[in-house]
Amino acid sequence: MNFSIAEENYIKAIWRLQQSDSNVTTNELSAELQTKPASVTDMLKRLKEKKILNYEPYYGVKLNTDGKKIALGIIRRHRLWEYFLVEKLKFEWDAVHVIAEELEHVSSPELIERLDHFLGFPKADPHGDPIPDSSGRMETTRHISLHQLKEQQPAVVSGVNDQSSGLPEILRQKKISIGTKVEIKQRFLFDGSLEIKIRNQPLITLSEQLAKNIFVTPL
Amino acid sequence: MNFSIAEENYIKAIWRLQQSDSNVTTNELSAELQTKPASVTDMLKRLKEKKILNYEPYYGVKLNTDGKKIALGIIRRHRLWEYFLVEKLKFEWDAVHVIAEELEHVSSPELIERLDHFLGFPKADPHGDPIPDSSGRMETTRHISLHQLKEQQPAVVSGVNDQSSGLPEILRQKKISIGTKVEIKQRFLFDGSLEIKIRNQPLITLSEQLAKNIFVTPL
DNA sequence: TTATTTTTTTAGATTTGTCTAAATTATAAT
DNA sequence: ATTATAATTTAGACAAATCTAAAAAAATAA
Ligand SMILES: [Mn+2]
Ligand SMILES: [Mn+2]
Ligand SMILES: [Mn+2]
Ligand SMILES: [Mn+2]
């Protein structure tokens, strides 16, 4: 089956929301996609027709097996393009999400397989998010935000928020990137800021805002 | 101003038809775009509203200065992507046109400038068609089809039809590619076939059909 | 349990891009 | 100069994707 750009954006949004909350509501989707709830209802009815999700009026929606596979195909395209934009075209990684939102809808399977090969079959995109393989399999990363990390618990930076602009600049200055080993030494309740220890570096301070945009995997 | 995918496809089609025939008709466009003449009329009225072309009901259409600039932007994107697909992803050049038809509509100027840089500022796409620069300037190639070339007139292959599938295979077998020096030794009126001389090679035979899909610049 | 608030759906309208069938205009033929 | 043919436009319809305003249902509070 073939999906329009609008349909693909809905499918991807449902998939994303479904990760944290298995049942996705109309209002959640409307917020995620910047549309009105009435438009969401219309689209859900159309996608139900196409048999890729279970939609129960008033009770929310959930992608079925086919729907999930389609979503992972779109996510694969999105993340491969993001990797291309950063690794080959030398974009900063806070600029690529918007462009990949468009590129992900180019629908040639052969294009994506060749792109994957050209890029050397990357496992993760520039934000640390795993790239599904051509059959839709993807490693489930179990990472939490640095803000949620316990004190004195060593962890490695495994991801960053893909939407926030200006993040690369501040992380470069703080000498933090994906793969950096970190540990929270002190947390201030006053403003949520953190004192962080990085190997061979003096203690550095991170704001709550910043810590919420960095994701880590505890060791 | 911003243009939809449908609008961009019309603009590009008008530009192409306008090259051989300054005044473009509704039926020509309808054939080129595989739509009905009535749909063309509707779109021409919309594009006239946007002031990128001169459209006189019953008398055809012509892009104005703004329209031509927009067209060249789309053509630039199309041809840069084609170059990328062949040079980097190793597609055969008969497969790339369809994919570039989609990629050309991704609308980030920064993306295209970086892609151009990444590719080393190529001057022509895989079919020998010139790539406009970022301000829309493009060398005007004056090439004719090999079928139209005069006998005994040396010429160099400067382009191939970008739409015909199977062309790379036969040209590889005949040892013809862009840059090859050719000369027609004999033309058979019976079937329009040609006897061609290529440097250091025995005479080869080309069908009329094939000769019409190869473009040359007389020396 | 009833009333209030919030969420969601329905009804009806709009824009874009397409179509078919009919009417109109231009062009070619007699 | 009519008439016939071909090209083009208009009229009216439709699907996709969106919206606003109103109605309905569900969740929450009193
Ligand atoms: Mn998108
Ligand atoms: Mn990403
Ligand atoms: Mn196109
Ligand atoms: Mn081309």
Side-chain angles (χ1 to χ4, degrees):
Chain A
M1 209 179 315
N2 236 40
F3 296 92
S4 70
I5 292 175
E7 286 172 333
E8 288 192 343
N9 285 334
Y10 272 88
I11 294 166
K12 198 153 59 88
I14 296 166
W15 187 90
R16 186 165 35 240
L17 293 170
Q18 180 167 303
Q19 294 313 99
S20 41
D21 191 3
S22 136
N23 199 265
V24 179
T25 70
T26 301
N27 267 7
E28 282 167 356
L29 270 170
S30 133
E32 179 85 8
L33 290 163
Q34 315 263 57
T35 57
K36 302 293 162 180
S39 311
V40 173
T41 301
D42 287 348
M43 180 60 93
L44 292 181
K45 283 193 272 190
R46 276 197 295 274
L47 292 178
K48 184 179 185 166
E49 286 293 303
K50 296 200 170 187
K51 299 188 192 305
I52 61 165
L53 47 75
N54 303 314
Y55 164 55
E56 211 53 62
Y58 294 105
Y59 289 95
V61 68
K62 196 186 283 204
L63 292 175
N64 65 20
T65 310
D66 285 354
K68 279 181 213 154
K69 189 160 281 177
I70 294 158
L72 286 164
I74 304 165
I75 289 160
R76 170 170 164 80
R77 302 199 290 270
H78 184 103
R79 293 181 180 168
L80 281 173
W81 281 118
E82 283 190 343
Y83 188 94
F84 167 75
L85 294 172
V86 168
E87 291 301 318
K88 301 294 181 178
L89 300 197
K90 309 300 179 192
F91 272 96
E92 285 280 10
W93 49 255
D94 60 343
V96 299
H97 184 79
V98 178
I99 300 174
E101 275 299 319
E102 292 193 54
L103 285 165
E104 70 189 0
H105 304 293
V106 174
S107 64
S108 160
E110 168 125 36
L111 169 63
I112 296 306
E113 295 323 302
R114 284 178 181 270
L115 180 64
D116 197 12
H117 179 248
F118 174 63
L119 298 175
F121 306 104
K123 287 274 161 295
D125 82 4
H127 313 102
D129 294 311
I131 298 174
D133 71 18
S134 53
S135 57
R137 266 184 295 273
M138 183 174 74
E139 26 173 299
T140 43
T141 46
R142 174 129 315 292
H143 61 201
I144 57 176
S145 90
L146 177 52
H147 179 253
Q148 297 169 285
L149 185 66
K150 286 208 184 65
E151 288 166 56
Q152 324 306 337
Q153 165 69 64
V156 62
V157 173
S158 52
V160 291
N161 187 305
D162 62 349
Q163 309 254 12
S164 34
S165 84
L167 201 46
E169 185 194 10
I170 190 169
L171 290 186
R172 230 184 346 262
Q173 193 270 321
K174 306 267 187 198
K175 298 196 165 53
I176 296 174
S177 59
I178 291 173
T180 305
K181 217 181 119 191
V182 295
E183 187 178 330
I184 297 177
K185 288 299 183 191
Q186 194 172 0
R187 180 190 304 271
F188 294 105
L189 292 173
F190 176 70
D191 61 359
S193 68
L194 305 171
E195 291 291 304
I196 298 289
K197 179 64 188 164
I198 303 178
R199 246 165 76 90
N200 306 326
Q201 297 255 126
L203 277 185
I204 58 171
T205 304
L206 304 188
S207 70
E208 176 173 10
Q209 155 105 52
L210 179 52
K212 281 180 167 166
N213 282 280
I214 300 171
F215 305 109
V216 298
T217 307
L219 294 170
Chain B
M1 207 179 314
N2 236 41
F3 296 92
S4 70
I5 292 175
E7 286 171 334
E8 289 191 342
N9 285 334
Y10 272 88
I11 294 166
K12 197 153 59 85
I14 296 167
W15 187 91
R16 186 166 34 240
L17 293 170
Q18 182 167 300
Q19 294 312 101
S20 42
D21 191 3
S22 139
N23 198 265
V24 179
T25 70
T26 301
N27 267 7
E28 282 166 357
L29 270 170
S30 134
E32 179 85 8
L33 290 163
Q34 314 263 58
T35 58
K36 301 294 161 179
S39 311
V40 173
T41 302
D42 287 347
M43 181 59 94
L44 291 181
K45 285 194 271 189
R46 276 198 294 275
L47 293 178
K48 184 178 186 169
E49 286 294 303
K50 296 200 171 187
K51 298 189 193 305
I52 61 165
L53 48 74
N54 303 315
Y55 164 56
E56 211 54 63
Y58 294 104
Y59 289 95
V61 67
K62 196 186 284 204
L63 293 175
N64 65 20
T65 311
D66 285 355
K68 279 181 214 156
K69 190 160 281 177
I70 294 158
L72 286 163
I74 304 164
I75 289 161
R76 171 171 165 77
R77 301 200 289 270
H78 184 103
R79 293 181 181 169
L80 281 173
W81 281 119
E82 282 190 342
Y83 188 93
F84 167 74
L85 294 172
V86 168
E87 292 300 318
K88 302 293 182 180
L89 300 197
K90 309 300 179 193
F91 272 97
E92 286 279 12
W93 48 254
D94 60 341
V96 298
H97 183 80
V98 178
I99 300 174
E101 274 301 318
E102 291 193 54
L103 285 166
E104 70 189 358
H105 304 293
V106 174
S107 65
S108 160
E110 168 126 37
L111 169 62
I112 296 306
E113 295 323 302
R114 282 177 182 271
L115 180 63
D116 196 12
H117 179 249
F118 174 64
L119 298 176
F121 305 104
K123 288 273 163 294
D125 82 2
H127 313 102
D129 294 311
I131 299 174
D133 70 19
S134 53
S135 57
R137 266 184 295 273
M138 183 175 75
E139 28 172 299
T140 43
T141 45
R142 174 129 317 293
H143 62 202
I144 58 175
S145 90
L146 177 53
H147 179 254
Q148 297 168 287
L149 185 67
K150 287 209 185 64
E151 289 167 55
Q152 325 305 337
Q153 164 68 64
V156 62
V157 174
S158 53
V160 290
N161 188 306
D162 62 349
Q163 309 253 13
S164 33
S165 85
L167 202 46
E169 186 194 9
I170 190 168
L171 290 185
R172 233 186 341 263
Q173 193 270 321
K174 306 267 187 199
K175 298 196 166 53
I176 296 173
S177 59
I178 290 174
T180 304
K181 217 182 119 191
V182 295
E183 187 178 329
I184 297 177
K185 288 299 182 192
Q186 195 174 358
R187 179 191 304 270
F188 294 104
L189 292 173
F190 176 71
D191 61 358
S193 68
L194 305 171
E195 291 292 303
I196 298 288
K197 179 62 188 163
I198 303 177
R199 246 166 77 89
N200 305 328
Q201 298 254 127
L203 276 186
I204 58 170
T205 304
L206 304 189
S207 71
E208 175 173 12
Q209 155 104 53
L210 179 51
K212 282 180 168 167
N213 282 281
I214 300 170
F215 304 109
V216 298
T217 307
L219 296 169

